[in-house]
Amino acid sequence: MTDTQRTPARRGLLIGIDSYPLLPGFSLEGCVQDALSLANVLCERFQFTPADLVILLNEQATRDRILTELESLAQRTGPDDIVVVHYSGHGSQVPDKDGDEGDGLDETLVAADSGRGRSPNRDVIDDELAVFFRRISDKTPYLTVILDCCHSGTGTRDLFGARSRGLPPDLRDGPPAPPPRSSALVSRQQRLNYAFIGGCRDEEKSYEYQEPLASGVLHQGALSYFLHKELATLSGQVSLRTVFERASRRVSELYSTQHPQAEGVLDRAVFRFASPEVREAGRGLLRPRG
């Protein structure tokens, strides 16, 4: 079957980490639920199937496993596939090794087997993510990346009891340096041809939200909770921008110091195919929120 005859696939990599064995005192509560909730929404509302999704929870989400699954996703993605990459967990920062960061720090996603102090740093660096996102978006314009984390947090609770998803910068050498920069990497000056949603601004924190239920308390990231609420009740061909703005407004109403961010191709129907004109509408800069 040729590419023109091929039916585009749906693919997702969803990561949720509440438990960090090498980071005592920095556990979270809503990240696993974020991943499972998004999986349910994708299957119930957007024609994904469980077989379309790779879900890494807690100890499954090691640095090596995350990189392996991103490599597999980049290899398997075909023309016009609908691809979703989601991460909920701690974010942090490490010293920049290739000189592309003005503040001298790279943003990171904290893998389940990463540590601080005497334990090795096994975070996934934003430069590494950029390689995979560029490879995927070179094949399809329908990539959506959602990172519900922060890199400026302290891991403590705020006055309202909401746990934030960030660790202080680890100023040691950090994980191994990524490959030398090449045309495969996305620079800050290049336009995005995919959609990116981040939990907060660089200097802010992404908080966890608690919803009282008859059966107990539901814990989720504030962004994930309101984003999934909007997705679950979506009707018609609504743009990703509209869904994001609705969810973002709810987050900031509840947490005045958290402002979710969105960049790239946002004026397309959510997790659905778009017109050729929208495919060329990419804009913004790649900056995974730590």
Side-chain angles (χ1 to χ4, degrees):
M1 179 180 294
T2 66
D3 286 345
T4 56
Q5 297 172 317
R6 173 183 175 276
T7 300
R10 288 171 167 79
R11 307 182 189 279
L13 173 59
L14 314 181
I15 303 167
I17 309 174
D18 286 327
S19 177
Y20 288 90
L22 300 179
L23 295 168
F26 284 94
S27 62
L28 295 167
E29 295 182 283
C31 301
V32 167
Q33 185 60 49
D34 286 352
L36 296 177
S37 174
L38 181 56
N40 288 335
V41 170
L42 291 175
C43 291
E44 293 175 2
R45 302 283 295 177
F46 299 99
Q47 295 80 51
F48 284 73
T49 71
D52 296 328
L53 303 174
V54 174
I55 304 175
L56 303 182
L57 305 177
N58 287 332
E59 70 276 2
Q60 298 171 332
T62 63
R63 170 181 163 82
D64 288 347
R65 182 72 184 278
I66 292 172
L67 294 178
T68 295
E69 295 299 344
L70 284 169
E71 174 64 33
S72 175
L73 185 62
Q75 289 185 9
R76 291 184 293 113
T77 296
D80 290 339
D81 285 356
I82 298 177
V83 181
V84 180
V85 176
H86 167 91
Y87 171 86
S88 283
H90 277 306
S92 189
Q93 294 173 300
V94 297
D96 172 30
K97 294 183 178 181
D98 59 7
D100 69 330
E101 299 284 356
D103 62 359
L105 295 171
D106 276 318
E107 285 74 53
T108 69
L109 307 183
V110 183
D113 59 340
S114 193
R116 299 295 187 267
R118 295 183 179 180
S119 300
N121 183 309
R122 293 183 56 75
D123 294 6
V124 179
I125 306 172
D126 57 359
D127 288 344
E128 297 175 294
L129 295 172
V131 175
F132 293 110
F133 297 161
R134 177 60 183 271
R135 289 172 57 191
I136 294 170
S137 62
D138 279 347
K139 295 181 178 181
T140 176
Y142 306 116
L143 167 63
T144 301
V145 177
I146 305 170
L147 305 183
D148 194 351
C149 57
C150 58
H151 68 250
S152 59
T154 62
T156 60
R157 292 177 179 271
D158 73 346
L159 294 177
F160 301 98
R163 188 181 297 272
S164 66
R165 295 179 169 182
L167 298 178
D170 185 352
L171 300 181
R172 300 176 297 167
D173 285 343
R181 299 186 68 83
S182 69
S183 60
L185 285 168
V186 177
S187 74
R188 297 292 165 82
Q189 285 71 45
Q190 288 179 299
R191 295 178 180 272
L192 288 186
N193 61 340
Y194 60 90
F196 170 78
I197 294 175
C200 61
R201 295 172 181 166
D202 288 348
E203 72 278 7
E204 295 180 335
K205 301 175 184 178
S206 289
Y207 290 107
E208 295 206 324
Y209 176 77
Q210 301 177 21
E211 180 187 21
L213 301 175
S215 57
V217 178
L218 174 70
H219 297 268
Q220 278 199 254
L223 170 65
S224 292
Y225 176 81
F226 290 110
L227 188 62
H228 299 172
K229 285 285 188 182
E230 292 295 334
L231 292 172
T233 58
L234 202 61
S235 177
Q237 296 289 307
V238 179
S239 72
L240 185 58
R241 184 186 301 278
T242 297
V243 171
F244 167 77
E245 288 177 348
R246 290 173 180 171
S248 177
R249 183 166 53 250
R250 298 291 302 278
V251 171
S252 296
E253 287 172 353
L254 191 61
Y255 302 104
S256 61
T257 59
Q258 180 178 348
H259 299 85
Q261 302 292 291
E263 301 167 348
V265 184
L266 303 173
D267 297 312
R268 68 183 183 204
V270 179
F271 304 142
R272 291 183 173 90
F273 303 116
S275 66
E277 292 77 13
V278 171
R279 298 187 192 186
E280 303 301 323
R283 53 191 174 87
L285 302 177
L286 174 68
R287 191 173 181 86
R289 298 306 190 258

